[in-house]
Amino acid sequence: MKNIINKLLVNHSLIYKVFLYIAAVFLVVYLFPKGGHFKYEFQKGKPWQYNDYFAPFDFAVEKSEEEIAVEIAQIKGTAKQYYEFNETEVKNVVKVVNEGLDKIFGVFEVSDTNKNEVSSKVSTIISKVYEPGFIETKELEHVAGSTLTLKRGNQIQEIHKNKLLKSSELLHFLNAEIGAQPLTEIEDEILNLLFETLKPNILFNEEFTEKALNEQLGEVSYTKGLVNENERIIFKGDIVEGEKLAKLNSLKNEYESQVWSKSNYNWIVFGYTILVALAFLMLLLFLKKYRIDIFENSNKVTFIFFNIILVVLLVTLIVKFDSKYVYVAPIVILPLVIKAFFDARLGLFTHVLTVLLLGFIVPNSFEFIFLQIIAGIVTILTISELYKRANLFISVVQITFVYFVAYFAFSIIQEGNALNLDWWKFGYFALNGTATLFVLPLIYIFEKLFSLVSDESLKELSNTNSKLLRELAEKAPGTFQHSLQVANLAESAANEINANAMLVRTGALYHDIGKMENPMYFIENQSTNVNPHDELTPRDSAQIIINHIIKGVELAKKHRLPDRIIDFIRTHHGTTLVYYFYMQEVEIEGEGVDKNYFKYPGPIPFSKETAILMMCDSVEAASKSIKEPTAQLIDNLVEKVVNGQMEKGQFMNADITFKELQTIKKVLKKKLKNIYHLRIEYPE
């Protein structure tokens, strides 16, 4: 049992990666659509690359979106507008008019005979107004033609709109009906009563109109024919267009929308699982072979897997909402983020694998994969220094332009002309570019969540006004100046061999912070001729010098510097000797001195950047010992220091070539000569 526990503890990192791998695979498979897939890929305007194809079963041919849209537009354009004949309004008007007449008769003392005549005449006028109906003029705005549909109780009839009395015509109608001008006083009162009391009784019935329209729209057929089993759909080499395209699209949709049996469903999930597992396995194998430092760091592997799953989730949600917005998703953020924290090669590899996975989700997968891979390549090639906002903006413009050009090319291939471009997609690409700018705050969030460091953080750390560097300048001013010189040399060397210049510069600024503990024991901080090492044994002096590495690491962790910066503190002396004090000890004790007491703990540099810092640090420090520097002396010094480090195997793990070492030596020679203002010696 104890052995099992020990094995688990020893292999806990590998066990975690296996668990992460399985969890990532199942999560991505869970996000994938579980319907069937049409096994043939085809595009409008391109030849059918497969054998003659016959219908595997009966299916209906679907109308295109354009055909359905035209049919719906026709229905809406010819739909009837329903109006309601309001009987209650007529009764209310008659009641109010009769009450008004009684008041008028009372005021003018009208005889019974005249009352009957007036009442009969008013009743006739009301009948003429409300038969066939009285309508507000503005209500006729809903009527497209010359007739409208009138709903009267349970009866519906078509009526010409000119037969209805309009509100704008009421006064003229009443004047004509009441009699010749001028009106008597009682006629004038009756006119006013009718004009104020008569209300329109024909009203637009929006609810019934909408209901009738929806019934018509519900009857729209989304199919336009039937293909029988074993009926030929397309010959090999035929161009996919017109009726053939409609049949193929219909069959594809039929496959994807079929209700699969539990057996079919399980097979589909099994197939997805194998493919997704292969994709993630390729990523892990790539990390193990080419990025072993990342592979061994579970936090970094988790970060990469998390970003892949995040992109798959984003695209899945967009496709479920509406697949036409799929190009709004800023997928190129993935290689940007990976490159910001690691390197371009890993960023592109991860991007390609992710896009291949997304091909199972999106429509027109070939077009999508091609566009996204091209955009990813452009992203990797154009953005070199992400912390410079201008670089990011320019690169986003270039990425968006590539989207435009690639989509334009696909469109004219499919349509055969440039007249049927989907201009909305250009807007989606522009939104994609805008969303890509969100990468900077996203990187900041990832830094906090996963304790990683990006160029943006390095830019902040390299500010010499930061708290730790200000403290270094105050306590160990000589060391601070040395660090600045080394940072300038290292940055120039890194630029020449395309290493991470910002990383090596920041590492150089912090590589000697351990000297703050005992600044006077380091020669660059000794302002007088008093050397505290004179009172110590060589072994004790060596331990103080070596301890600046350990103290530096402790100080860096205390101030929460990123691991990538701490690596420079640990490796900038590798496993070399504190040679000066070692030789002093040899002079005192003779041969047989244990070198381990005088050796730095290491490790040796394991990247180009840490190797550059070791060379620059040693060369800059050694150059101070040249009393009268000349070009030849500087050349010899650089060759001696760098070649000595190579012979001692300090660059064995640094992944740096001989050609790059020669380039670095040239840079160091040139920069040191500039520092010491050397001139060519002219002959006398």
Side-chain angles (χ1 to χ4, degrees):
M1 184 64 182
K2 189 176 181 180
N3 290 334
I4 295 174
I5 294 174
N6 288 335
K7 286 183 179 180
L8 290 175
L9 291 174
V10 170
N11 298 303
H12 72 279
S13 179
L14 180 61
I15 294 169
Y16 173 78
K17 290 182 183 67
V18 171
F19 172 78
L20 179 67
Y21 172 75
I22 295 171
V25 169
F26 278 99
L27 186 56
V28 170
V29 170
Y30 174 76
L31 293 173
F32 276 6
K34 302 304 187 300
H37 268 279
F38 191 50
K39 62 182 178 180
Y40 300 107
E41 282 285 339
F42 60 89
Q43 282 186 295
K44 180 181 179 181
K46 298 190 76 175
W48 179 256
Q49 302 291 339
Y50 311 99
N51 292 328
D52 299 351
Y53 190 58
F54 298 87
F57 48 77
D58 296 345
F59 66 92
V61 180
E62 298 174 354
K63 294 178 182 175
S64 67
E65 291 183 5
E66 292 78 11
E67 290 173 319
I68 294 170
V70 168
E71 193 170 337
I72 289 174
Q74 289 176 343
I75 291 173
K76 288 181 177 179
T78 58
K80 294 180 179 180
Q81 307 298 309
Y82 288 90
Y83 289 78
E84 187 85 25
F85 188 95
N86 192 339
E87 297 280 2
T88 305
E89 187 65 39
V90 177
K91 293 176 181 177
N92 290 337
V93 167
V94 171
K95 180 181 178 183
V96 174
V97 168
N98 288 334
E99 291 173 354
L101 285 176
D102 289 341
K103 292 179 181 178
I104 293 172
F105 294 155
V107 172
F108 291 96
E109 298 180 353
V110 180
S111 65
D112 291 340
T113 303
N114 289 335
K115 284 181 183 179
N116 292 334
E117 289 178 3
V118 171
S119 297
S120 177
K121 188 172 185 179
V122 168
S123 180
T124 302
I125 292 172
I126 292 174
S127 297
K128 288 183 178 180
V129 168
Y130 288 116
E131 186 58 47
F134 178 27
I135 190 169
E136 188 74 43
T137 304
K138 66 179 181 180
E139 288 283 344
L140 292 172
E141 294 174 358
H142 298 286
V143 182
S146 59
T147 60
L148 55 81
T149 305
L150 187 61
K151 183 173 179 288
R152 193 164 186 170
N154 294 325
Q155 294 182 342
I156 293 177
Q157 64 184 71
E158 300 290 329
I159 186 169
H160 199 286
K161 61 184 181 182
N162 290 337
K163 290 185 177 182
L164 301 174
L165 179 64
K166 305 171 188 64
S167 58
S168 59
E169 302 169 347
L170 179 61
L171 184 59
H172 178 74
F173 173 80
L174 292 175
N175 278 319
E177 289 294 323
I178 289 175
Q181 303 293 326
L183 298 175
T184 62
E185 191 174 354
I186 188 171
E187 288 175 334
D188 191 52
E189 288 293 331
I190 292 170
L191 176 64
N192 289 335
L193 173 65
L194 291 173
F195 186 76
E196 292 174 2
T197 307
L198 294 176
K199 304 294 181 185
N201 73 319
I202 305 295
L203 301 172
F204 178 63
N205 192 330
E206 185 176 358
E207 182 181 350
F208 192 82
T209 301
E210 189 71 23
K211 181 181 177 182
L213 176 61
N214 289 335
E215 286 179 359
Q216 284 184 280
L217 293 176
E219 294 172 359
V220 171
S221 173
Y222 287 83
T223 61
K224 58 181 180 181
L226 182 68
V227 175
N228 296 315
E229 185 177 356
N230 295 323
E231 181 181 332
R232 178 181 59 80
I233 296 177
I234 191 169
F235 281 125
K236 182 178 181 179
D238 282 357
I239 301 300
V240 180
E241 60 183 359
E243 186 179 350
K244 297 167 187 173
L245 176 62
K247 289 179 179 179
L248 287 171
N249 279 328
S250 300
L251 183 57
K252 181 180 179 182
N253 292 336
E254 187 70 23
Y255 265 103
E256 293 176 351
S257 63
Q258 279 182 353
V259 179
W260 296 87
S261 66
K262 187 174 181 180
S263 174
N264 285 336
Y265 177 87
N266 291 337
W267 280 111
I268 290 170
V269 171
F270 181 65
Y272 275 145
T273 303
I274 292 174
L275 293 174
V276 175
L278 282 173
F280 278 108
L281 181 62
M282 293 305 103
L283 179 57
L284 287 174
L285 291 175
F286 177 88
L287 292 175
K288 185 169 177 59
K289 185 172 179 62
Y290 299 106
R291 298 292 183 271
I292 188 65
D293 56 318
I294 298 174
F295 179 79
E296 291 176 350
N297 189 317
S298 297
N299 183 51
K300 292 178 179 178
V301 176
T302 304
F303 172 73
I304 296 170
F305 277 40
F306 175 80
N307 276 275
I308 294 173
I309 293 169
L310 197 64
V311 171
V312 173
L313 175 62
L314 175 64
V315 174
T316 302
L317 292 175
I318 291 175
V319 170
K320 285 184 177 179
F321 174 72
D322 193 334
S323 61
K324 71 180 181 182
Y325 297 118
V326 71
Y327 286 113
V328 176
I331 294 173
V332 292
I333 280 183
L334 177 63
L336 273 177
V337 168
I338 301 298
K339 183 183 178 182
F341 289 108
F342 305 116
D343 60 79
R345 188 176 175 188
L346 177 58
L348 183 58
F349 189 85
T350 307
H351 176 70
V352 170
L353 281 180
T354 306
V355 170
L356 291 175
L357 290 176
L358 295 176
F360 293 110
I361 303 173
V362 299
N364 298 322
S365 56
F366 175 77
E367 175 186 309
F368 178 85
I369 290 172
F370 182 87
L371 286 176
Q372 297 298 353
I373 289 179
I374 291 295
I377 293 172
V378 172
T379 302
I380 293 296
L381 293 177
T382 56
I383 298 183
S384 56
E385 295 172 309
L386 191 59
Y387 62 90
K388 294 181 180 179
R389 286 171 292 183
N391 284 5
L392 176 61
F393 180 78
I394 292 169
S395 295
V396 165
V397 172
Q398 292 172 331
I399 293 164
T400 306
F401 177 73
V402 167
Y403 273 128
F404 286 173
V405 173
Y407 169 69
F408 175 78
F410 267 102
S411 185
I412 59 176
I413 289 172
Q414 293 171 1
E415 301 292 342
N417 59 66
L419 301 176
N420 297 323
L421 290 173
D422 184 356
W423 294 102
W424 281 103
K425 280 196 176 177
F426 291 99
Y428 300 152
F429 293 136
L431 286 174
N432 183 311
T434 304
T436 303
L437 295 173
F438 184 68
V439 68
L440 288 179
L442 190 63
I443 287 173
Y444 177 79
I445 293 169
F446 284 150
E447 284 178 340
K448 301 305 177 186
L449 286 176
F450 292 92
S451 300
L452 298 172
V453 59
S454 68
D455 285 353
E456 189 67 23
S457 291
L458 294 175
K459 180 184 175 184
E460 295 175 6
L461 289 169
S462 64
N463 185 349
T464 53
N465 287 318
S466 65
K467 181 181 177 182
L468 191 55
L469 291 180
R470 283 205 316 270
E471 187 179 350
L472 177 65
E474 291 170 4
K475 291 183 177 180
T479 300
F480 179 70
Q481 291 302 320
H482 161 72
S483 298
L484 287 176
Q485 293 278 28
V486 173
N488 292 332
L489 289 173
E491 184 177 21
S492 299
N495 281 325
E496 286 296 320
I497 65 168
N498 294 319
N500 191 330
M502 178 59 68
L503 176 62
V504 74
R505 177 177 180 81
T506 309
L509 289 173
Y510 289 91
H511 79 284
D512 270 344
I513 57 173
K515 292 181 179 180
M516 283 193 290
E517 292 291 322
N518 295 296
M520 296 309 296
Y521 283 88
F522 299 90
I523 192 167
E524 67 266 23
N525 298 310
Q526 295 172 2
S527 56
T528 65
N529 292 327
V530 178
N531 189 340
H533 287 289
D534 294 341
E535 300 177 3
L536 301 174
T537 65
R539 182 174 293 190
D540 290 339
S541 293
Q543 285 304 307
I544 290 174
I545 299 299
I546 290 170
N547 279 343
H548 90 273
I549 301 290
I550 299 167
K551 296 293 184 183
V553 171
E554 290 174 355
L555 201 57
K557 289 182 177 179
K558 179 182 176 182
H559 286 79
R560 296 182 179 178
L561 291 184
D563 288 341
R564 292 176 78 185
I565 303 303
I566 295 175
D567 288 340
F568 286 93
I569 300 173
R570 294 165 56 231
T571 62
H572 74 275
H573 284 297
T575 55
T576 58
L577 292 175
V578 184
Y579 193 72
Y580 178 82
F581 292 113
Y582 170 71
M583 292 307 297
Q584 277 194 346
E585 184 74 3
V586 170
E587 289 177 8
I588 297 170
E589 300 292 338
E591 296 297 329
V593 174
D594 188 354
K595 290 184 178 181
N596 291 326
Y597 286 109
F598 298 89
K599 185 180 286 187
Y600 285 101
I604 61 176
F606 47 78
S607 67
K608 289 181 182 180
E609 289 77 16
T610 50
I612 289 170
L613 178 62
M614 173 182 263
M615 288 181 266
C616 294
D617 179 49
S618 300
V619 167
E620 200 282 333
S623 69
K624 294 290 195 294
S625 65
I626 304 177
K627 294 179 180 178
E628 295 182 5
T630 64
Q632 186 61 48
L633 286 175
I634 288 175
D635 287 351
N636 292 341
L637 175 71
V638 171
E639 291 289 341
K640 179 182 176 182
V641 171
V642 176
N643 290 343
Q645 290 170 339
M646 288 173 57
E647 290 169 5
K648 293 170 185 174
Q650 296 300 306
F651 305 139
M652 291 289 289
N653 299 333
D655 189 27
I656 193 167
T657 65
F658 283 111
K659 182 179 180 181
E660 288 169 336
L661 286 170
Q662 292 301 320
T663 302
I664 292 169
K665 287 194 281 189
K666 288 179 183 178
V667 172
L668 293 177
K669 292 172 184 177
K670 179 182 176 182
K671 289 294 179 181
L672 286 174
K673 290 171 186 176
N674 290 339
I675 290 171
Y676 291 108
H677 306 290
L678 297 179
R679 298 288 187 269
I680 297 172
E681 295 182 7
Y682 293 95
E684 295 181 1

